[in-house]
Amino acid sequence: MDLDESFSSESSVDSDEELQEAFAAGKLRPGLNLELPASSKTINNTAGLNQTLLTIKKNLPWLERLDVTSKPATTHKDLISQSETDVHDDFKRELRFYCQAQATVLEVIPRLHSMSIPTKRPEDFFAQMAKSDDHMKRVREKLVEKQTAIERSEKAKKLRELRKYGKKVQIEVIQKRQKEKKEMLDAVKKYRKGQKDKLDFLENLPGEKKNSQNKKSADNLRPNKKREFKNKKFGFGGQKKRSKMNTKSSALDMSEFNPNINQKKPGKTGKGKPKPGNKNKRPGKARRQKAKSRKK
């Protein structure tokens, strides 16, 4: 059916409905329309159908008719059994048509060869398709749309399941933390009341585990000896000025301090008395001059 025919059929249906509504409301004059009762009986006139079939039937040879009645091919039994379960599935219905056409071809071609009729199509053969390209394009778009809708619904279903699983895991983690906190508070209360003598519950705190993990990761990221020596020698290629500046850590570092070298010895204890450690020290200039004058 073309689009124009569908539009005309829809408009005719709308007009009939409008007439029925107007007739029910009493807007139409009597005599123009006749209300007929709905027929409730169905008639199966087999004799009349057979008689009509005889009148239109023509006794032509099979080569003029080329009619074949066959079942679907046996090579697709599994697919056909699946297609029988759901007749409203477009893909499976088309697959059944394909299997039945395949079985027909397998039956007819040997029959034509026995009658010496060529079945190979010539190269310049031209046959008009039963359905137009526009119609097939619309069918293909419809099938793709259905497939994308199915994939979208499956993806949304997976996302919902993942959200439910994430919420479940989050609730379990929160409950576990609350349980650990409650146990630790109970242990602290028991320790305060004197029911416990040891603080073993403080060793398994979650913060300590994290600190130990951070220490392990820091040790793993530490450079080797060669890299440390080069870093110390070349200074990472960074800033060189203010490298000898004293800092709080360097000022408090007393590892290189040697009191025998850096610490000054005590001087004189009183006037005129030499220092205990300076016996061979040269006297001053005034004393030397006085000593010379005495010798003279």
Side-chain angles (χ1 to χ4, degrees), residues 194-213:
Q195 297 177 2
K196 277 191 175 183
D197 298 333
K198 296 181 181 180
L199 297 172
D200 298 337
F201 57 90
L202 296 176
E203 295 179 358
N204 299 324
L205 292 176
E208 293 183 356
K209 293 181 180 178
K210 292 180 181 177
N211 292 331
S212 61
Q213 291 176 0

Side-chain angles (χ1 to χ4, degrees), residues 4 13 21 23 55 106 111 115 137 142 152 157 159 162 173 180 192 205 223-224 231 241 249 263 266 274 277 284 294:
D4 298 336
V13 170
E21 291 176 358
F23 179 73
T55 55
L106 293 174
R111 191 171 178 181
M115 298 171 69
K137 185 179 179 181
K142 192 71 175 177
R152 197 182 297 113
K157 187 177 179 181
L159 286 174
L162 288 174
V173 170
E180 290 176 354
R192 285 179 179 176
L205 292 176
N224 54 13
N231 292 341
K241 60 182 179 179
S249 59
Q263 191 174 11
R294 287 175 185 173

Side-chain angles (χ1 to χ4, degrees), residues 91 140-156:
F91 293 101
R140 194 179 298 109
E141 289 176 354
K142 192 71 175 177
L143 293 175
V144 170
E145 186 180 353
K146 284 185 178 180
Q147 190 70 22
T148 51
I150 293 170
E151 292 176 357
R152 197 182 297 113
S153 64
E154 289 178 356
K155 189 176 180 180

Side-chain angles (χ1 to χ4, degrees), residues 15-32:
S15 62
D16 292 341
E17 290 178 355
E18 290 176 358
L19 288 171
Q20 290 174 4
E21 291 176 358
F23 179 73
K27 296 180 181 179
L28 299 177
R29 289 181 297 173
L32 296 177

Side-chain angles (χ1 to χ4, degrees), residues 205-259:
L205 292 176
E208 293 183 356
K209 293 181 180 178
K210 292 180 181 177
N211 292 331
S212 61
Q213 291 176 0
N214 293 333
K215 287 180 182 178
K216 289 181 182 179
S217 61
D219 294 338
N220 294 331
L221 295 174
R222 200 171 187 180
N224 54 13
K225 299 279 186 177
K226 188 176 180 182
R227 184 73 261 170
E228 285 181 358
F229 175 75
K230 287 190 175 182
N231 292 341
K232 187 176 180 181
K233 182 178 179 181
F234 299 107
F236 298 93
Q239 188 178 5
K240 302 296 188 298
K241 60 182 179 179
R242 293 190 291 275
S243 60
K244 295 183 179 181
M245 228 174 169
N246 206 1
T247 60
K248 184 180 179 181
S249 59
S250 64
L252 296 174
D253 188 12
M254 301 295 288
S255 60
E256 297 181 358
F257 179 77
N258 190 355

Side-chain angles (χ1 to χ4, degrees), residues 59-290:
N59 294 325
L60 296 174
W62 178 81
L63 191 59
E64 297 293 334
R65 294 181 284 109
L66 293 177
D67 55 340
V68 179
T69 303
S70 62
K71 294 182 179 180
T74 57
T75 54
H76 302 283
K77 284 184 178 179
D78 298 334
L79 298 175
I80 293 166
S81 62
Q82 292 177 4
S83 65
E84 288 177 352
T85 57
D86 189 5
V87 295
H88 299 288
D89 194 341
D90 295 336
F91 293 101
K92 293 179 180 179
R93 190 169 62 252
E94 292 289 338
L95 179 62
R96 186 177 180 85
F97 293 158
Y98 168 76
C99 295
Q100 190 166 3
Q102 186 181 12
T104 304
V105 169
L106 293 174
E107 182 182 350
V108 169
I109 287 180
R111 191 171 178 181
L112 292 172
H113 288 171
S114 64
M115 298 171 69
S116 301
I117 296 173
T119 56
K120 188 176 179 181
R121 187 179 66 182
E123 296 179 356
D124 58 347
F125 181 78
F126 178 77
Q128 185 67 30
M129 292 179 64
K131 297 180 180 179
S132 62
D133 294 338
D134 295 335
H135 179 78
M136 294 304 297
K137 185 179 179 181
R138 289 198 300 272
V139 171
R140 194 179 298 109
E141 289 176 354
K142 192 71 175 177
L143 293 175
V144 170
E145 186 180 353
K146 284 185 178 180
Q147 190 70 22
T148 51
I150 293 170
E151 292 176 357
R152 197 182 297 113
S153 64
E154 289 178 356
K155 189 176 180 180
K157 187 177 179 181
K158 288 181 180 179
L159 286 174
R160 285 195 296 270
E161 291 177 356
L162 288 174
R163 285 198 195 99
K164 289 180 181 178
Y165 181 72
K167 287 182 180 178
K168 185 179 178 182
V169 171
Q170 188 177 6
I171 291 169
E172 289 178 356
V173 170
I174 292 171
Q175 290 177 353
K176 185 179 178 182
R177 288 178 182 173
Q178 290 176 353
K179 184 179 178 182
E180 290 176 354
K181 186 177 179 181
K182 185 178 179 181
E183 290 177 354
M184 189 181 70
L185 292 174
D186 293 341
V188 169
K189 288 180 181 178
K190 289 180 181 179
Y191 179 76
R192 285 179 179 176
K193 291 178 180 179
Q195 297 177 2
K196 277 191 175 183
D197 298 333
K198 296 181 181 180
L199 297 172
D200 298 337
F201 57 90
L202 296 176
E203 295 179 358
N204 299 324
L205 292 176
E208 293 183 356
K209 293 181 180 178
K210 292 180 181 177
N211 292 331
S212 61
Q213 291 176 0
N214 293 333
K215 287 180 182 178
K216 289 181 182 179
S217 61
D219 294 338
N220 294 331
L221 295 174
R222 200 171 187 180
N224 54 13
K225 299 279 186 177
K226 188 176 180 182
R227 184 73 261 170
E228 285 181 358
F229 175 75
K230 287 190 175 182
N231 292 341
K232 187 176 180 181
K233 182 178 179 181
F234 299 107
F236 298 93
Q239 188 178 5
K240 302 296 188 298
K241 60 182 179 179
R242 293 190 291 275
S243 60
K244 295 183 179 181
M245 228 174 169
N246 206 1
T247 60
K248 184 180 179 181
S249 59
S250 64
L252 296 174
D253 188 12
M254 301 295 288
S255 60
E256 297 181 358
F257 179 77
N258 190 355
N260 296 327
I261 299 173
N262 302 103
Q263 191 174 11
K264 292 183 179 181
K265 295 179 180 179
K268 296 180 180 180
T269 57
K271 292 183 180 181
K273 293 181 180 180
K275 297 177 182 178
N278 296 335
K279 293 180 179 180
N280 298 326
K281 190 176 180 182
R282 185 182 179 188
K285 188 176 180 181
R287 288 187 178 184
R288 290 198 306 269
Q289 288 178 356
K290 286 180 180 180

